[in-house]
């Protein structure tokens, strides 16, 4: 049944900016301080207080616009979006409506089929966040409002309804999040609400030109839940259409415990908000020189970095993708590759041991206890045959907790690889002498037994014998035996 329908998804993402101060006043945006400690007449909405636009917010918006291929408007205006809610003391939110700062952009995503797909970005505009209501569970204590978040700067990024599956929606969101994090304008934290997504979902019979009626799914705080909410909504709408009923345009909430969505309220239209230009703020004029300056300061973006990693370091495309997923991870890799010439070896260790330990500890690369210098110390000792790859993992484990460098650990633990031919020869002779039956079978053609002998010698050397030398000596001696 589902295959007779086409899914149409458009996304609205609220990106909370990491500026130090709020968008229209000098109050701090720091998270987690005592309620209402970061407020002033402007963000409290007191009469007579006037907003002053934060220049950094404009720069961040231009950066986001350029990174998503938008046209930056030479003139944009702020508008009042009027509605009443206890966490909005002014009775209106300052946003942008008719003339947003960025328009006509796009992002490229990878689709399940493997190809690239272009997702249009209708607009990006600047606005202020509302405060936060705190509802107590104790009866009779009522609800309270914390206005520390009021007036915090947001970018709202509105996509075209170009996505055709929940997977495409997630691919778009991940790409957008990666870009704003690379730009350093947002910390990308979904759980804390720094990157919030509303999804407009509708279905239509294949071949139909006009869109079906959409439902808006509000504020879902993880990629998994966004996918589940969209999937549930698609099935729900198809069921309604199949029954011959009509989908109602409304806002729905996702219940992550039940995995379902439920109606929250009828969807407002723009005219319900009575938008009008904010008379307290002059139109924002951005000249070419300003845009050029911001463009100059843009960091290298993920796609360009991935390409460069393939070309400059000769990495497989897969490695380059993984290493550039996060800017800090890419920088860690580059620091390693500058110290150790075997870039593929650096990549293997970072994607393997480093990522595994980070996952185990629940840390991000920014808090990695092993610096690129320390890691390269281990890699150098593998390359010059001081230790085997296997022993290197032991050294790395020790390094992770003690912070000591590779040479110190190798010395202290006596892990240096045995490359002395005489010593290895002695171990090989002992092992062959101790296993005469196996030696006999080997000489009769049971080649598989070589592995057994290598294992025995490595064991008697506590893993420190040079494996290549062990192999060579064993072959020689067993054949002569
Ligand atoms: Zn303030």
């Amino acid at each position: 049944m589902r295959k007779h329908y086409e899914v149409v998804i458009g996304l609205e993402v609220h990106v909370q900016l990491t500026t130090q101060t709020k968008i229209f006043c000098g109050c701090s945006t720091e998270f987690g301080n005592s309620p209402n400690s970061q407020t002033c007449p402007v963000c409290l909405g007191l009469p007579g207080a006037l907003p002053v636009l934060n220049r950094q917010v404009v720069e961040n918006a231009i950066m986001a616009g350029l990174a998503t291929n938008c046209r930056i408007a030479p003139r944009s205006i702020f508008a009042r979006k009027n509605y009443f809610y206890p966490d909005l003391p002014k009775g209106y939110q300052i946003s942008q409506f008719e003339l947003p700062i960025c328009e006509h952009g796009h992002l490229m995503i990878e689709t399940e089929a493997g190809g690239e797909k272009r997702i249009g970005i209708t607009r990006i505009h600047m606005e202020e966040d509302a405060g936060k209501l705190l509802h107590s569970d104790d009866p009779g204590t009522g609800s309270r409002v914390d206005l520390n978040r009021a007036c915090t700067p947001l970018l709202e990024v509105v996509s075209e309804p170009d996505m055709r599956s929940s997977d495409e929606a997630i691919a778009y969101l991940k790409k957008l999040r990666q870009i704003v994090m690379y730009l350093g304008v947002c910390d990308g934290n979904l759980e804390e609400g720094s990157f919030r997504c509303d999804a407009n979902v509708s279905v239509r019979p294949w071949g139909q030109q006009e869109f079906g009626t959409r439902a808006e799914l509000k504020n879902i705080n993880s990629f998994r839940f966004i996918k589940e909410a969209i999937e549930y909504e698609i099935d729900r709408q198809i069921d309604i259409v199949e029954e011959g009923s009509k989908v109602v345009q409304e806002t729905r909430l996702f219940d992550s415990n039940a995995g379902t969505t439920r109606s929250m309220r009828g969807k407002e239209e723009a005219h319900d908000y009575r938008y009008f230009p904010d008379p307290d703020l002059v139109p924002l004029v951005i000249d070419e020189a300003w845009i050029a300056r911001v463009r100059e300061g843009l960091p290298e973006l993920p796609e360009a970095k991935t390409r460069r990693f393939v070309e400059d370091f000769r990495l497989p495309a897969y490695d380059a993708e993984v290493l550039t997923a996060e800017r800090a991870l890419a920088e860690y890799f580059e620091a390693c590759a500058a110290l150790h010439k075997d870039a593929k070896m650096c990549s293997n260790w970072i994607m393997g041991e480093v990522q595994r330990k980070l996952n185990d500890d629940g840390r991000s690369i920014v808090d990695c206890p092993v610096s690129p210098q320390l890691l390269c110390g281990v890699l150098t000792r593998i390359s010059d045959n001081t230790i085997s790859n296997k022993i290197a993992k032991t050294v790395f484990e020790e390094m992770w907790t003690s912070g000591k460098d590779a040479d110190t650990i190798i010395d202290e633990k006596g892990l240096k690889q045995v490359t002395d031919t005489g010593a290895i020869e002695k171990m090989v002779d002992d092992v062959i002498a101790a296993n005469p039956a196996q030696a006999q079978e080997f000489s009769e053609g049971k080649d598989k037994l070589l592995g057994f002998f290598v294992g025995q010698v490595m064991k008697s050397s506590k893993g420190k014998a040079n494996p290549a030398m062990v192999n060579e000596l064993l072959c020689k001696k067993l054949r002569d035996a």
Side-chain angles (χ1 to χ4, degrees), residues 22 24-28 38-44 147-148 150-151:
K22 296 183 178 181
F24 298 121
C25 64
C27 293
S28 167
Q38 290 154 206
T39 54
C40 73
V42 174
C43 51
L44 289 174
L147 295 173
N148 281 353
C151 225

Side-chain angles (χ1 to χ4, degrees), residues 179-379:
I179 288 173
V180 293
M181 288 178 72
Y182 256 74
L183 295 174
V185 303
C186 174
D187 67 22
N189 192 324
L190 273 78
E191 264 170 58
E192 284 176 13
S194 315
F195 189 90
R196 317 199 278 268
C197 166
D198 301 338
N200 289 306
V201 180
S202 65
V203 297
R204 63 181 169 191
W206 271 106
Q208 179 181 305
Q209 279 302 303
E210 65 191 280
F211 291 132
T213 306
R214 69 180 194 271
E216 184 181 22
L217 307 175
K218 271 284 188 202
N219 281 344
I220 315 163
N221 70 352
S222 81
F223 287 129
R224 185 165 67 90
F225 290 158
I226 292 166
K227 186 171 160 67
E228 282 179 23
I230 291 174
E231 295 284 325
Y232 177 85
E233 193 54 28
I234 292 167
D235 288 340
R236 188 187 71 88
Q237 292 186 14
I238 291 175
D239 285 347
I240 291 172
V241 177
E242 285 285 307
E243 276 171 15
S245 308
K246 280 201 157 71
V247 174
V248 182
Q249 184 171 335
E250 62 184 351
T251 300
R252 297 181 69 85
L253 283 182
F254 178 63
D255 178 342
S256 57
N257 292 320
T260 59
T261 64
R262 63 186 154 79
S263 181
M264 179 168 102
R265 58 165 191 250
K267 167 75 184 160
E268 303 84 355
E269 292 295 340
H271 64 252
D272 294 329
Y273 290 115
R274 305 280 195 274
Y275 280 97
F276 67 87
D278 192 314
D280 290 340
L281 288 155
V282 294
L284 172 65
V285 176
I286 299 170
D287 61 16
E288 283 299 325
W290 192 2
I291 298 172
R293 261 199 323 279
V294 174
R295 193 189 295 275
E296 199 113 300
L298 285 181
E300 184 180 34
L301 290 169
E303 280 168 17
K305 212 182 263 297
T306 309
R307 269 199 308 277
R308 185 168 60 80
F309 277 19
V310 171
E311 284 162 17
D312 289 7
F313 298 112
R314 309 260 157 224
L315 290 181
Y318 174 80
D319 292 39
E321 284 286 332
V322 173
L323 294 172
T324 55
E326 255 184 273
R327 187 173 162 184
L329 186 66
E331 284 166 358
Y332 186 97
F333 165 78
E334 286 206 81
C336 290
L339 294 166
H340 191 82
K341 62 181 186 314
D342 189 341
K344 178 59 181 149
M345 189 175 180
C346 296
S347 166
N348 289 346
W349 271 76
I350 295 169
M351 296 197 307
E353 295 304 298
V354 176
Q355 293 268 50
R356 184 179 61 76
K357 288 294 284 180
L358 288 174
N359 284 342
D360 287 353
D361 287 10
R363 299 189 200 214
S364 80
I365 188 73
V366 187
D367 315 310
C368 183
V370 172
S371 65
Q373 287 74 14
L374 283 179
L375 179 62
C376 288
V378 185
L379 304 192

